Amino acid sequence: MNSNNALRTGKPKDCQSCDKTDCPGRQQPQNESDDMLRQRRNIARKMCRIDRKLLVMSGKGGVGKSTVAANLAVSLALADKSVGLLDVDIHGPSIPRLMGLEGQQLVMHESEIVPIDVGGNLKVMSIGFLLGSPEDAVIWRGPMKFGVISQFLGDVEWGTLDYLVIDAPPGTGDEPLSVAQLAGERTTAVLVTTPQALSVADVRRSVSFCRKMSMPIAGIIENMSGLVCPHCNGRIDLFGSGGGEALAREMDVPVLGKIPIDPKIVECGDSGEPYIHRFAESDAAKAFAKVVERIIDGKDADDK
Ligand code: ADP
């Protein structure tokens, strides 16, 4: 697949959603070959219609970042917000599987890509929908990733959203960098870690990345934070405890919440059914609801 043309669209539309004269959405390309300016204009127009973008990052793989991104998006939608979930994990997209959308085909509307509408205010887009098979390996260099992410932001028909939750691969590579450079104002990072010292140490790099990119941090989510034994109800701190909180204090970043380990999260991830839907009364679902409350409150506080 040619990443530059994979999602290429034309036809910029007047968004008129703000009156800033320096908005890239208002700049006119000088000539037909001014592709980057045209694309930046598309992105600015699309991003203007999205109130908040949440870039979900982690220092290392396997800490549950995609699981958190998917369940965060579903929880925000359940809180009556209109939500987009964008998977920019180009080398290992897991959102189609987590949301039960593997094998879905994308359709075009007036030369724009239509994200998959899963109902209940939630739309989903993933590089996984563009790959022939889930086993296909993507071998792309940085500029190709930048190209496809700019098309995800500029050429997908997101419409008006309260939140766009963006699942980035672990680390501080091309994908989070492209999002940080392209998504514009009102983009904040949500950092996911386990309480384990090893994972927490890697999140420091994510905090440093956000600071260098001048991207505000909404907070840290400590995932896999304790397990309640189903037999004796005793608590087991499989990955230690309090690591995320200690880091949050040290780095002066809020803690958004602690999500416990629940084997049913694994089961739901494998069967493609959002955990939050199936186990709405569980401790982990309640912890997600608290995270969402804090994210929404944080937004309100910023708007005052
Ligand atoms: P990442 O995106 O960080 O690589 P994933 O979201 O793919 O991580 O999660 C890795 C594994 O951990 C998956 O099998 C997932 O189901 C499981 N998992 C994530 N969070 C939890 C949790 N709170 N409790 C139990 N299992 C979890």
Side-chain angles (χ1 to χ4, degrees), residues 61-67 223-224 259-262 265-266:
V63 300
K65 172 192 48 59
S66 298
T67 304
N223 187 35
M224 306 192 188
I259 315 289
I261 296 174
D262 185 342
I265 291 185
V266 181

Side-chain angles (χ1 to χ4, degrees), residues 19 104 109 113 127 172 285:
D19 50 15
Q104 288 276 335
H109 175 245
I113 301 268
I127 187 73
T172 53

Side-chain angles (χ1 to χ4, degrees), residues 62-278:
V63 300
K65 172 192 48 59
S66 298
T67 304
V68 167
N71 283 288
L72 201 56
V74 174
S75 302
L76 281 163
L78 287 174
D80 241 7
K81 303 294 175 189
S82 50
V83 184
L85 172 60
L86 170 61
D87 179 8
V88 299
D89 193 339
I90 288 171
H91 297 286
S94 30
I95 293 298
R97 181 180 48 81
L98 287 170
M99 299 296 295
L101 299 173
E102 271 180 325
Q104 288 276 335
Q105 299 289 311
L106 294 169
V107 292
M108 305 287 288
H109 175 245
E110 292 182 0
S111 73
E112 293 196 335
I113 301 268
V114 182
I116 308 281
D117 191 336
V118 295
N121 308 328
L122 181 58
K123 296 172 184 174
V124 183
M125 177 69 203
S126 167
I127 187 73
F129 300 141
L130 300 168
L131 303 176
S133 116
E135 284 85 41
D136 278 357
V138 176
I139 305 168
W140 286 352
R141 290 181 194 279
M144 294 172 82
K145 294 179 190 171
F146 185 86
V148 84
I149 290 171
S150 69
Q151 290 184 299
F152 277 149
L153 298 176
D155 299 342
V156 173
E157 207 179 55
W158 290 113
T160 303
L161 295 179
D162 294 312
Y163 289 92
L164 180 64
V165 178
I166 305 170
D167 181 24
T172 53
D174 292 310
E175 295 87 341
L177 179 63
S178 304
V179 172
Q181 289 174 332
L182 292 167
E185 287 172 8
R186 300 168 80 74
T187 304
T188 53
V190 172
L191 308 180
V192 181
T193 182
T194 66
Q196 192 180 7
L198 202 65
S199 163
V200 167
D202 285 342
V203 173
R204 280 199 186 86
R205 269 192 288 279
S206 307
V207 173
S208 150
F209 168 88
C210 294
R211 297 213 163 126
K212 282 189 182 145
M213 298 303 297
S214 304
M215 180 165 56
I217 299 171
I220 291 178
I221 297 178
E222 193 180 277
N223 187 35
M224 306 192 188
S225 183
L227 163 73
V228 175
C229 171
H231 308 294
C232 69
N233 272 341
R235 185 183 159 100
I236 308 165
D237 285 322
L238 212 55
F239 296 107
S241 78
E245 276 175 326
L247 175 76
R249 262 195 313 276
E250 177 198 322
M251 303 297 253
D252 197 20
V253 171
V255 176
L256 290 171
K258 294 161 94 174
I259 315 289
I261 296 174
D262 185 342
K264 293 190 286 298
I265 291 185
V266 181
E267 199 184 302
C268 287
D270 287 345
S271 65
E273 192 177 354
Y275 171 83
I276 297 292
H277 275 159
R278 194 154 150 214

